[in-house]
Amino acid sequence: MPIDFFIAKCQIENIREKEFGICDDEDRTKQAHAYIDTTHMEKWIAVVKNKTDKAINFTAVDNCVEIRRPDGTMDYRCDAMLTNDRISFS
């Protein structure tokens, strides 16, 4: 079964910030997914520096996109994926 990474609630499109952080609060009770932040640097688990000024798309993967093993159990997932019109990073 194909994996749908383009779920609207999991995406933030056309980010043009020069620098932003990726956050994952790790609150397992809420099953919250990763998100971006521009002001609370102490929460950042990764820093994105957009030196090209190209629009970046952010997709939360863990706790948002379902990726299942052949036996139907949930597989491990990265926190998020960044893409633009030419390349993707996860």
Side-chain angles (χ1 to χ4, degrees):
M1 170 180 258
I3 299 168
D4 182 7
F5 284 98
F6 302 102
I7 301 167
K9 72 175 186 161
C10 301
Q11 292 196 307
I12 302 169
E13 296 181 325
N14 298 316
I15 303 162
R16 291 193 177 270
E17 299 290 330
K18 292 276 188 193
E19 180 177 282
F20 61 92
I22 296 175
C23 303
D24 186 4
D25 294 339
E26 296 293 330
D27 184 348
R28 299 290 179 213
T29 61
K30 294 181 183 177
Q31 293 294 308
H33 55 77
Y35 58 95
I36 64 166
D37 177 83
T38 58
T39 57
H40 301 95
M41 295 174 74
E42 70 279 0
K43 296 178 84 175
W44 296 3
I45 60 171
V47 177
V48 178
K49 295 184 181 211
N50 183 8
K51 296 179 182 180
T52 66
D53 292 326
K54 288 187 177 273
I56 297 173
N57 302 315
F58 171 88
T59 303
V61 178
D62 193 21
N63 294 325
C64 210
V65 176
E66 287 195 8
I67 301 175
R68 299 204 174 263
R69 296 182 181 109
D71 68 1
T73 60
M74 193 65 71
D75 206 345
Y76 294 102
R77 297 156 289 178
C78 62
D79 287 326
M81 174 175 65
L82 299 174
T83 58
N84 66 19
D85 63 347
R86 297 190 60 203
I87 194 164
S88 65
F89 308 94
S90 61

